[in-house]
Amino acid sequence: MKVQVTEEADEALLARLEPLYQRVFSDVRTLQEKAAAKPALHVTAAWERETLIGFKIGYRTGATTFYSWLGAVDPDRRRAGVGSALMRGQHEALRKQGYISVCMKTMNRWRGMLILALKHEFFITGTEKGEKGLKIVLEKALTKPQQ
């Protein structure tokens, strides 16, 4: 598995992510439609040979804060370490770019994502009401406090 980080996603990359996005989310809107309203997107993608097996997409929300907006792993590849590899790759790249924290939101129905976040040192910081139900808000410090 190869993990690739792209600092600015273009339409061609988003088009390559679309089939997996639709397979996981079955959304009536395309990924490009949803992404159009977002700031410059950073993509971390996992490939097995030429086949996309997972991705994480996010963007800057503050001077040192990153929002991990959307992620997906091929259902046939779940529980094989793909999500963890994506998260490690994303967080390593964010540290190198000077980010101090990363936040994300998930829902109870995406329990695998919630468990993955908790395993990777995210903390639940609250909840908020979303269009499709209650969202769980999580945050992680990308730098370790000095002792």
Side-chain angles (χ1 to χ4, degrees):
M1 170 179 35
K2 176 184 172 189
V3 175
Q4 175 185 13
V5 177
T6 305
E7 286 189 36
E8 287 197 40
D10 59 17
E11 287 184 25
L13 177 56
L14 293 177
R16 290 186 72 191
L17 304 180
E18 185 70 31
L20 180 56
Y21 170 77
Q22 287 300 331
R23 182 168 181 214
V24 171
F25 297 106
S26 303
D27 201 336
V28 294
R29 292 180 16 196
T30 68
L31 178 56
Q32 289 178 326
E33 288 171 323
K34 290 185 79 166
K38 306 293 182 201
L41 297 176
H42 296 231
V43 174
T44 305
W47 304 89
E48 191 167 79
R49 296 184 186 93
E50 296 297 316
T51 303
L52 176 70
I53 58 174
F55 65 82
K56 291 188 70 53
I57 304 174
Y59 51 88
R60 178 183 298 275
T61 57
T64 59
T65 305
F66 187 84
Y67 180 63
S68 187
W69 168 53
L70 186 63
V73 172
D74 184 319
D76 296 334
R77 297 299 311 264
R78 293 197 179 142
R79 293 174 185 56
V82 177
S84 286
L86 286 165
M87 200 168 276
R88 283 191 303 272
Q90 182 188 61
H91 296 176
E92 181 181 323
L94 294 176
R95 280 186 201 94
K96 288 178 182 175
Q97 294 171 37
Y99 287 96
I100 293 174
S101 65
V102 59
C103 56
M104 61 175 286
K105 298 173 190 172
T106 191
M107 300 178 79
N108 196 44
R109 68 182 171 142
W110 302 112
R111 287 192 178 143
M113 187 69 242
L114 178 58
I115 291 167
L116 179 67
L118 294 172
K119 284 182 178 179
H120 284 270
E121 302 177 347
F122 277 85
F123 289 94
I124 297 172
T125 59
T127 59
E128 66 181 44
K129 192 169 187 156
E131 290 177 13
K132 298 177 183 177
L134 192 65
K135 292 185 178 183
I136 302 164
V137 181
L138 300 108
E139 188 167 349
K140 175 183 177 173
L142 293 171
T143 57
K144 301 284 183 196
Q146 298 205 359
Q147 310 232 348

